[in-house]
Amino acid sequence: MKQNSTTILVPVIPEKVQDLLDQLVEIKRNSQEGISKEFDSLSIIHYARWVVIDHGKSWIDDEQKRNPKLLFVIDYDGEEGEMVHKVSENSSTILDLVYVFCENYPPLNTVTTASRKAYLENHVIKDAAVYIGAPGRSVLQIRKEKKLRDFIRNFVDSRTWEDVSPETVHKKIKEQVLSNAEFSYLKAERVTTPRINYFGVVILGICLLALLPFILVLVLIVHFFYERKDENFTRKRSQLDDEFLTDLEKYEDFKNQNQFTQLVDMKEGTIRLIAIKFMFLLSNFLIKFIFTQGKLMGIPTIHFAKWVMFEKNSRVLFFSNFDGSWQQYLGDFIDNSGWGLTGIFSNTKVFPKTNFLITGGAYKEEYFLAWSRNSELVTNFWYTAYPDLSIKNVNNNTRIRVQLMKTLSKRRAAKFLKLL
C-alpha cells in the first residue's frame, strides 16, 4: 500500500489563539484515552501533529505582523480523500474541539462528516518534497511484522540450539510460525523489500550531466551576486531565548522517537526560488530512485520527513519524525548530508554563511545547531502509531518476514538468524 503525507493549514481566529493552545494542551494530556486511541483504531495513520504558528513564538526574528494559523500534518496509508473522510468521521469530537477556534469552521450545531471533510480539504497545501523511510509498509503491516518478529524471538529463546545448523533452525522457526493461525496471512500475502531503481539512477545521472552547465551558472550567480550580501546567522546556542528553548524541550524525548517542526522565510528573488525548487526536485528523484531502504543520505533514523512551501513560496516548513535525540539527529544530518541541507536552507533568510550554494552552512555545526533551534516550532500535539519501533526495526522486521518464507542456504540462514 502506498504511503502519503498531507498538510492542512487553517487560519485561527486571532482572539481565540490562547483558547486553542489550551485545548491542544488538554488533548495532549488526555491523548492516550482520546485522539491517540482514535488514530490507533483507524490503523492508517503513521504520524500526525498539530502546530500553531504565527502567534508570537514562530521564527523569533520575524517582525512582520502575521495572523495565527493551525497546521495539521498527517502521514498515512492510502489516498488523501479516504484518509480525511475517516478522520472526519471517527475523530469528529476532537476535530470540533480544535477547529471551533478556527475561521469559517462549520457551526457545531450543523457540522457533519461531509462538511468537516470539505473544510479540511479546502485548506490542504502542497508538499515540496517527501521522504518515507519504509515505503510500501502500511501501519497494519508494520504491526503484524512486529508481532511476527516477537513470536520468533520468543520461540528461539525458549530452547537451546547447540549443534543445530542454521538452515535447520530456520526450518523449525518457519514450521512453528506457520502452525500458528495468527500468521496464516504469510502464505497469502507476499511482500518484497524496496530496491534501488538503477535505471532511474542512470536517467537521473544523464539529466544532471545535461543540466550541468545550467547548474554551474546558477551556483556562480548565487555565490557572486547573493551570498556575499546575505545576512548570516552568527548566534550560538547560549545566545538564544532560554524560555523558548525550554518550551521546545518540554515536547521532546517522551518516547524512543522524536518530532521536529521548523519554519523559515525565503530570501527574496527569482534566483533563490529557482535554486530551492531545483533542490526539492533533485531530492524527490533521489528519494524515489535511491533512498528507498530506510536511509536518507546514509541517515538510518528518519521515518517520515518533508518540506512544504506556502504563502506564495515565501516561507518554508520542514517536518520530521525520527529516532533518538534532537542533537544526534541533526548531527547525523551534518555528517551525512550537510550539502543537501545547505543547498535547501541556504535559500532561506539568516542562515549560517554559505559558499557556492552547498558548502559552509550546515557544516558550521555550532551556528547551524543554534539556527535549527532558533527556527524550530513547538509541536503542540504529536502522534506516532508505533512509538517503540525504530525505522531500522521496521525495515528489519520486513526482511525477517521475507526471508522466513524462503528456503535458505546455510550462509543465508545464518544471516537470517542475525536479523533476530
Side-chain angles (χ1 to χ4, degrees), residues 6 8 44 72 74 76 79-90 95 113 116-122 124:
T6 292
I8 298 169
I44 61 168
F72 188 23
I74 318 103
Y76 57 94
E79 298 303 319
E80 180 177 281
E82 182 181 358
M83 178 277 296
V84 176
H85 176 80
K86 286 184 176 181
V87 170
S88 299
E89 184 175 49
N90 292 276
L95 289 183
T113 296
R116 287 188 199 96
K117 179 174 182 287
Y119 181 81
L120 295 176
E121 288 180 331
N122 286 337
V124 171

Side-chain angles (χ1 to χ4, degrees), residues 147-159:
K147 283 187 178 180
L148 173 63
R149 189 266 177 194
D150 291 345
F151 179 85
I152 293 173
R153 183 73 255 179
N154 290 334
F155 173 65
V156 170
D157 291 343
S158 68
R159 53 179 293 184

Side-chain angles (χ1 to χ4, degrees), residues 360-386:
Y363 293 108
K364 298 179 181 293
E365 184 170 349
E366 191 171 20
Y367 296 127
F368 174 74
L369 292 176
W371 169 84
S372 297
R373 274 301 198 199
N374 191 62
S375 53
E376 187 179 355
L377 304 180
V378 169
T379 298
N380 303 96
F381 171 82
W382 182 60
Y383 165 83
T384 168
Y386 32 89

Side-chain angles (χ1 to χ4, degrees), residues 174 185-192 401-402 405-406:
K174 186 174 181 178
Y185 66 86
L186 291 171
K187 294 180 179 179
E189 301 175 12
R190 297 291 180 179
V191 298
T192 58
R401 174 181 177 176
V402 170
M405 300 307 292
K406 294 181 178 180

